[in-house]
Amino acid sequence: MRIMARLGKETEAEVSLWRDAWRRLRRNRLAVLGGLVIIVLGCVALLADVMAPYHYTKAHFLHAYEFPNRDFPLGTDPLGRDMLSRIIYGARVSMLVGVVAQCIVVSIGVPIGAVSAYYGGKVDLAIMRFVDVMYAFPRLLFVILIMSMLGAGLFNIFIAIGLTGWVNVARLTRAQILSLKEKEFAEGALAAGASGPWVLGKHLLPNALSPIIVAVTFGIPEAIFTEAALSFIGVGINPPTPSWGQMVGEYQQYILSYWHLCVFPSVAIALTMLSFTFLGDGVRDALDPKLRE
């Protein structure tokens, strides 16, 4: 009974921690602003077909190279395609890459790190040596190599970023499980008859979520920037599907004559990165137990 009561208190403390973190997050104005911008970008990505004035392939050949005006608020590209529409559709690509890639990263990194830490011994040694080998590769070059092998395309970008981005999450998860598995609530669950996998999934992983959530929050803009870099050098999204990085790379030669072609996509990338950074900083501060009142 004492063990069950102790586990109940741990659960109540965990709920209190999340409530306290949410309250502190709402007080962080920059984090709230970043979150609102991200929500707006997500809505734009989901409703691109409705919000965009034109389809991203619609060409107005008589209006090519136009600067921002009343008919085309962000101007047109060399084929007369509306830049506003292409940037709106580009938000769908960027947000999709950020979210899906991080889902793949978490689905790979968290189980590997958790199993390595919980079972220890030769299992931990073998897994962590493999992680060290993966960590030794420069990530961006590794991603470019994978994309060169698989070819350009959105699905291949998911694979490339997912296969190279799980290492840090795995190491972070391992460190958290190592520090938690010796705690009283974990030992109490084992003493109550729970199996190792049950304790790992029911008690250890939920208590290790805070730093993982922070890592994912910062990982999303990193994935977006990686996709932009890949599209910039021509191994990312296949044309004519618009991508912010692709537009910057394709139109950089026009920076002195038709500045709007690459400035607006660059601003979109910068705004997205900044918003996720503000939100990530806020989440990290909100989940920091040292800041609890």
Side-chain angles (χ1 to χ4, degrees):
M1 294 296 295
R2 292 181 179 178
I3 294 175
M4 298 303 297
R6 184 180 303 170
L7 293 177
K9 292 181 180 179
E10 292 288 344
T11 303
E12 293 178 2
E14 181 182 348
V15 172
S16 177
L17 172 63
W18 288 108
R19 289 177 179 173
D20 190 38
W22 172 245
R23 178 175 54 83
R24 288 201 304 272
L25 180 63
R26 288 183 299 174
R27 291 181 178 180
N28 190 322
R29 295 182 179 179
L30 288 179
V32 171
L33 177 61
L36 291 176
V37 172
I38 292 169
I39 292 174
V40 170
L41 288 173
C43 293
V44 169
L46 291 173
L47 303 175
D49 295 324
V50 177
M51 298 184 63
Y54 307 96
H55 192 264
Y56 61 85
T57 60
K58 176 67 175 178
H60 305 82
F61 296 108
L62 298 180
H63 298 279
Y65 292 107
E66 285 197 4
F67 287 96
N69 55 61
R70 184 170 56 185
D71 296 327
F72 303 100
L74 299 186
T76 60
D77 68 0
L79 297 179
R81 295 174 296 189
D82 181 43
M83 286 294 295
L84 175 59
S85 300
R86 291 181 61 77
I87 288 178
I88 290 176
Y89 277 100
R92 174 177 293 179
V93 172
S94 295
M95 298 300 289
L96 192 62
V97 167
V99 174
V100 175
Q102 283 306 297
C103 289
I104 297 175
V105 166
V106 170
S107 64
I108 297 175
V110 170
I112 289 178
V115 169
S116 176
Y118 187 79
Y119 291 100
K122 294 183 179 180
V123 174
D124 183 39
L125 181 63
I127 292 178
M128 292 314 298
R129 295 297 75 79
F130 176 69
V131 170
D132 291 339
V133 171
M134 292 292 297
Y135 194 76
F137 286 97
R139 185 183 176 188
L140 184 57
L141 294 179
F142 199 10
V143 171
I144 294 174
L145 176 62
I146 294 176
M147 290 299 299
S148 299
M149 295 172 57
L150 299 178
L154 186 60
F155 182 75
N156 291 340
I157 290 178
F158 295 156
I159 296 176
I161 296 178
L163 290 179
T164 59
W166 60 270
V167 178
N168 288 331
V169 174
R171 299 178 72 173
L172 178 62
T173 304
R174 175 180 178 270
Q176 291 298 310
I177 299 300
L178 284 175
S179 65
L180 291 172
K181 73 176 185 178
E182 303 298 334
K183 299 290 186 179
E184 291 183 358
F185 69 89
E187 295 179 349
L190 289 173
S195 62
W198 173 264
V199 173
L200 180 60
K202 185 67 176 180
H203 298 290
L204 296 182
L205 281 178
N207 283 279
L209 281 180
S210 297
I212 296 174
I213 292 175
V214 175
V216 169
T217 305
F218 283 111
I220 291 177
E222 183 179 355
I224 293 174
F225 184 79
T226 302
E227 179 276 322
L230 293 173
S231 298
F232 181 87
I233 62 178
V235 294
I237 301 299
N238 285 318
T241 303
S243 163
W244 294 339
Q246 177 196 76
M247 286 188 278
V248 174
E250 182 178 355
Y251 302 140
Q252 60 173 323
Q253 56 184 319
Y254 301 109
I255 184 64
L256 297 179
S257 53
Y258 301 101
W259 56 269
H260 64 285
L261 294 178
C262 63
V263 167
F264 290 128
S266 300
V267 170
I269 295 173
L271 180 62
T272 304
M273 299 283 289
L274 189 62
S275 299
F276 274 106
T277 300
F278 284 158
L279 180 61
D281 287 337
V283 171
R284 180 186 58 197
D285 294 341
L287 294 176
D288 189 350
K290 297 179 181 179
L291 299 179
R292 297 189 68 184
E293 298 176 354

